Amino acid sequence: MSMPPFLEPFRIKSVEPIRRMTREERGRLLEKAGFNLFLLDADDVFIDLLTDSGTGAMSAGQWSAIMNGDEAYAGASSFRRFRDAVESITGFRHVIPVHQGRAAERILFPVTCKRGSVVPSNAHFDTTRANCEFAGAEPLDLPIAEARDLSTPFPFKGNMDPAALENVIARVGSSRIPLVMLTVTNNFGGGQPVSMANIKAVKAICSRYGIPLYLDACRFAENAYFIKVREHGYADRTPREIAREMFDCADGCTMSAKKDGLVNIGGLLCTNDDAIARAAKDLLILGEGYPTYGGLAGRDLDAIAVGLNEVLEAEYLEYRVASTAYLGNTIAAAGVPIVQPPGGHAVYIDARAFLPHLPPTQFPGSALAVELYLEGGIRCFEIGTLIFGGPDPASGVEQPAPMDLVRLALPRRVYTQSHMEYVIETVLAVWRRRERIRGLELTYQAARLRHFTAQFRRLAASA
Ligand SMILES: Cc1ncc(COP(=O)(O)O)c(C=O)c1O
C-alpha cells in the first residue's frame, strides 16, 4: 500500500468555510489594499499562511475543558490544572500565567536586567529584542555560522555559537549578563531547531559563570521532535522525555502558548528563582492580573493545560513536521529556492533567488507575496527589505535588508494535505512565470513598523 506523504492524526468535527475568489476579484482587492497583504480582509484570503501564532485549531478535548473553566478571581481550579500541566512537563518551581508571550518578556527583563545589561541569545525574536531593550539591556544574537547559509541542510541551524558566547562573557564580564536565552525552535530562518548537545554546551558555559539560562519555549515540542529524529541517541525517547531534558537544562522559560500550547491566546513565565518569581508576580499584578489568572480567563488556562499535553503526542508531531517538510521539499525539488532544511512551523522562500531580476530596493519578497495571493489567494509574510530595510536617514535612499524571504507559516491542525497540494501548485504556477513578475515601489510608509501599513504601486515591466 502506498502511503500519503503525511497523515492527519485527527478527523474534523467542526468546519469553517473558506472562499476562493476569481483572479480578477483578487486583483481588485490587491489594488485596494495598496499591494499590502496585511490590509486584506481575512475573509478574502483562501489559505492564510501569514502566521502560525494563535491560528491553530483546538481539539474536542480542549473545547470540553473550556466548559470546566473556573472564573474565580483568586485560587481558581483552572489555575491548578494549568500549573500542574506546566510543572509536569517543565519541572519549573514557579509557573506564572500571562496573556501572551511578549507579556512574559515584558515582566522577565525588567525584573532581571538593568541599564547596561547584556542578554545573549541564539537569536532574539523581535518582541523579545524590543522588551529587552525597553528594560535598558542590550540583546545580542549569537547564531552559528551555518545559519547564515540559506541552502545548506545543516540539521540544527538554530544552535547558538558557544565560542561566541564565551567571547561575549570575556568581553563584557559575567556580572553584566543577568541571563542567557535560547529560542527553541529558533524563529530566525523558519523554526530551525537547537540540538540537545548545544543546549547542554550553552548551559555548561552559563553554569561556569553563574549565569541563569532561560528558554524562549514557544515551539518547545517541535524542537523536542527534531532532536528525536535528527540527534544521535534520542530516537527511542518520547517527545515528553526530550522536552523535560531540555527544560532541566534551564532555570526558567518564557512561552507564547499561541504556538505549541495549541491555543488562540495565552502564555506563561516559569522560573526556579524564588526572588525573580516574587518580583515577577508583583509586576504581573500591575499589568496582567492576579497570579492565578494572569490576564487570561479560567477557560483559557484549561485549554492550555490540555493543549500542552496534546502537542507532545508523537503522532501529532510526526504529522506536523512531515507536512511542513512535504511543502518545502516538493517546491524545492521543482527548483524553488528555499531555506534548507524546512523548519518546524514554516517554509521560507528565498525571494531574491526566486526573482533575481528584481533588485532588493524593488521589494522582491513583497512582490512574490503579492503574486502568491493573486495566483491562488494565499497570504504569506515578507521578511526582508520592507521589514528590515528602510530609507537612509541622511540621503533618504532605500537600504536593503541582508535577505529577502517569504514565509509560508503553517497554522497547527488547520489545513489538510489537499490544501498543501494546492499551495504547492500555486507556488509552482508563480515559479513558472517568475521572469514576468514586476517589482514594487512604496507610495506610503510610516516612520516605524512600516510593513503593517505600507502602500505600494507596481513598477512598469521595463523598470
Ligand atoms: C520565538 C518567539 N518568541 C516570542 C513570541 C511572542 O509571542 P506572542 O506573539 O504570543 O506575544 C513569538 C511570536 O511569534 C515567537 O515566535
Side-chain angles (χ1 to χ4, degrees):
M1 187 179 75
S2 85
M3 288 293 280
F6 59 91
L7 261 180
E8 293 84 1
F10 48 80
R11 56 187 177 190
I12 296 166
K13 182 172 259 182
S14 175
V15 297
E16 189 181 5
I18 47 178
R19 195 165 68 95
R20 192 151 70 108
M21 284 159 310
T22 62
R23 196 188 180 94
E24 289 65 39
E25 280 177 298
R26 290 195 292 268
R28 276 197 298 278
L29 289 163
L30 274 174
E31 295 270 357
K32 199 168 141 226
F35 298 95
N36 182 342
L37 305 187
F38 277 104
L39 302 179
L40 292 171
D41 283 345
D43 298 353
D44 296 332
V45 175
F46 185 52
I47 307 275
D48 204 344
L49 306 184
L50 193 62
T51 176
D52 67 316
S53 179
T55 51
M58 289 208 291
S59 66
Q62 288 175 291
W63 283 111
S64 59
I66 276 176
M67 290 308 294
N68 284 327
D70 176 353
E71 305 304 342
Y73 187 92
S77 60
S78 292
F79 172 72
R80 292 197 294 281
R81 290 187 284 276
F82 164 83
R83 182 198 56 202
D84 292 351
V86 177
E87 261 178 22
S88 85
I89 292 166
T90 67
F92 291 127
R93 225 174 22 244
H94 302 282
V95 178
I96 300 171
V98 292
H99 83 276
Q100 64 181 84
R102 68 199 69 184
E105 297 159 1
R106 181 83 177 81
I107 291 170
L108 177 66
F109 292 119
V111 162
T112 51
C113 299
K114 55 179 192 281
R115 192 150 299 283
S117 296
V118 173
V119 182
S121 169
N122 48 347
H124 288 279
F125 181 67
D126 57 10
T127 60
T128 324
R129 167 174 293 280
N131 276 302
C132 193
E133 286 170 344
F134 195 69
E138 183 192 354
L140 277 186
D141 290 349
L142 308 175
I144 50 167
E146 289 86 341
R148 294 198 182 90
D149 183 344
L150 301 188
S151 57
T152 50
F154 187 75
F156 289 105
K157 276 186 176 173
N159 284 356
M160 177 187 272
D161 182 344
L165 177 61
E166 292 268 20
N167 288 342
V168 170
I169 297 172
R171 181 167 58 81
V172 307
S174 58
S175 60
R176 280 179 60 199
I177 305 179
L179 73 158
V180 168
M181 284 199 93
L182 273 177
T183 312
V184 293
T185 58
N186 191 343
N187 207 343
F188 175 80
Q192 300 292 334
V194 181
S195 70
M196 189 69 84
N198 189 252
I199 297 174
K200 289 188 173 171
V202 170
K203 174 64 183 172
I205 297 171
C206 289
S207 301
R208 209 166 335 119
Y209 294 95
I211 303 170
L213 173 65
Y214 278 68
L215 300 183
D216 176 343
C218 60
R219 298 183 181 87
F220 76 100
E222 290 172 8
N223 200 90
Y225 189 74
F226 279 121
I227 289 174
K228 179 177 171 67
V229 294
R230 291 187 185 168
E231 192 161 349
H232 180 69
Y234 287 92
D236 296 331
R237 308 276 300 282
T238 64
R240 178 180 288 269
E241 288 166 343
I242 298 170
R244 183 53 180 266
E245 194 173 325
M246 286 162 48
F247 286 118
D248 280 348
C249 295
D251 300 277
C253 73
T254 56
M255 190 190 300
S256 165
K258 296 168 72 173
K259 286 84 169 172
D260 278 352
L262 298 179
V263 291
N264 307 116
I265 194 72
L268 51 105
L269 169 61
C270 294
T271 181
N272 283 335
D273 185 310
D274 297 344
I276 289 178
R278 208 171 309 120
K281 282 183 196 170
D282 288 346
L283 260 189
L284 183 83
I285 291 171
L286 208 62
E288 293 279 297
Y290 192 71
T292 60
Y293 73 87
L296 294 168
R299 54 182 170 269
D300 297 325
L301 296 172
D302 271 300
I304 298 172
V306 176
L308 287 173
N309 282 305
E310 287 181 353
V311 80
L312 286 167
E313 285 163 12
E315 296 74 20
Y316 160 76
L317 286 166
E318 185 185 346
Y319 138 80
R320 169 79 177 152
V321 167
S323 55
T324 310
Y326 179 63
L327 169 59
N329 292 336
T330 313
I331 59 174
V336 176
I338 66 162
V339 177
Q340 289 285 4
H345 69 284
V347 171
Y348 277 40
I349 300 177
D350 181 351
R352 235 175 246 184
F354 195 111
L355 301 173
H357 59 290
L358 299 188
T361 47
Q362 290 186 18
F363 303 98
S366 299
L368 176 55
V370 160
E371 294 301 325
L372 291 171
Y373 178 74
L374 182 67
E375 186 71 37
I378 294 168
R379 176 159 68 171
C380 48
F381 190 55
E382 187 259 24
I383 300 191
T385 298
L386 183 62
I387 297 192
F388 296 117
D392 177 73
S395 64
V397 175
E398 180 69 33
Q399 300 298 302
M403 302 182 224
D404 279 288
L405 305 176
V406 166
R407 183 181 78 176
L408 309 173
L410 302 183
R412 292 168 181 75
R413 306 190 293 202
V414 169
Y415 295 118
T416 63
Q417 194 198 328
S418 49
H419 291 120
M420 285 306 106
E421 303 291 358
Y422 176 83
V423 173
I424 289 165
E425 281 313 310
T426 305
V427 172
L428 297 187
V430 175
W431 174 243
R432 285 191 288 273
R433 61 176 177 79
R434 61 191 179 280
E435 283 158 15
R436 299 196 302 280
I437 292 173
R438 291 181 279 155
L440 298 173
E441 181 180 65
L442 280 169
T443 57
Y444 167 75
Q445 59 180 312
R448 270 183 216 90
L449 298 173
R450 64 178 181 170
H451 54 289
F452 290 120
T453 52
Q455 298 275 292
F456 289 106
R457 75 176 183 86
R458 266 202 173 123
L459 289 163
S462 57

